[in-house]
Amino acid sequence: MTRVKEYRFPVAVEWKGGPLTIATIDGKPDLPVATPPEFGSGVEGVWSPEDMLVASAATCYAVTLSAIARRRDIALASMRVAGVGHLGPRDDGRFGFTSIELDVDVETETAEAVEATEEAVLNALWAATDTDGRDGRIVRALPREPVLELLREQ
């Protein structure tokens, strides 16, 4: 019988005035977070929620790939994941994230790392589920067969 694990990650955010907040987690350094300067009233040099979302996607990809490589006994020489979040008008007419691009550079002495990378990408694609949002908005998960067909064309 498989046991499902559950974890909690509590975070507290305190408003400091204007666009600035401080995110805190017990036992970790505080993190100032503010509206990005691109929005006109942001704070230079401070992480924004948009930065954090893109960093979360890139970091999740990197640690997932690292775990897959470790399970397959593949020694990674280096890995760099660069992410770019795209914000603009969405299909519902609202402004928000439309996509997150990840550019991955992995170095190893074996071809197995390519397989591990492909496995990590596919695992991430298939792990996604439909998400219900506010005002009845639904973001659909990627359809498996059309995505596989696109991958076969590559």
Side-chain angles (χ1 to χ4, degrees):
M1 177 182 225
T2 303
R3 224 171 91 180
V4 178
K5 295 179 181 179
E6 291 186 18
Y7 302 96
R8 294 175 45 124
F9 297 92
V11 174
V13 176
E14 182 179 342
W15 177 63
K16 298 308 245 179
L20 183 63
T21 63
I22 302 292
T24 60
I25 299 173
D26 286 343
K28 298 180 182 179
D30 290 352
L31 179 63
V33 181
T35 307
E38 292 85 351
F39 292 177
S41 62
V43 179
E44 287 285 341
V46 174
W47 282 76
S48 72
E50 293 76 13
D51 294 330
M52 293 171 64
L53 180 62
V54 176
S56 292
T59 303
C60 185
Y61 186 94
V63 297
T64 299
L65 178 57
S66 173
I68 290 169
R70 188 172 50 253
R71 280 195 303 272
R72 290 185 174 194
D73 292 323
I74 298 169
L76 296 177
S78 68
M79 176 181 8
R80 182 177 187 281
V81 181
V84 177
H86 296 267
L87 282 82
R90 302 181 314 208
D91 292 341
D92 64 0
R94 294 183 173 171
F95 184 82
F97 273 93
T98 55
S99 65
I100 295 177
E101 287 178 53
L102 297 180
D103 183 28
V104 182
D105 184 22
V106 177
E107 290 186 26
T108 183
E109 294 182 10
T110 69
E112 292 169 323
V114 174
E115 293 173 18
T117 302
E118 290 171 351
E119 181 180 338
V121 170
L122 292 174
N123 285 342
L125 291 174
W126 307 148
T129 59
D130 290 355
T131 303
D132 295 330
R134 196 171 77 190
D135 300 327
R137 178 168 162 72
I138 299 173
V139 177
R140 301 278 179 210
L142 291 175
R144 186 179 180 98
E145 287 307 314
V147 171
L148 284 173
E149 188 60 37
L150 285 172
L151 292 173
R152 286 184 199 109
E153 293 174 7
Q154 297 296 322

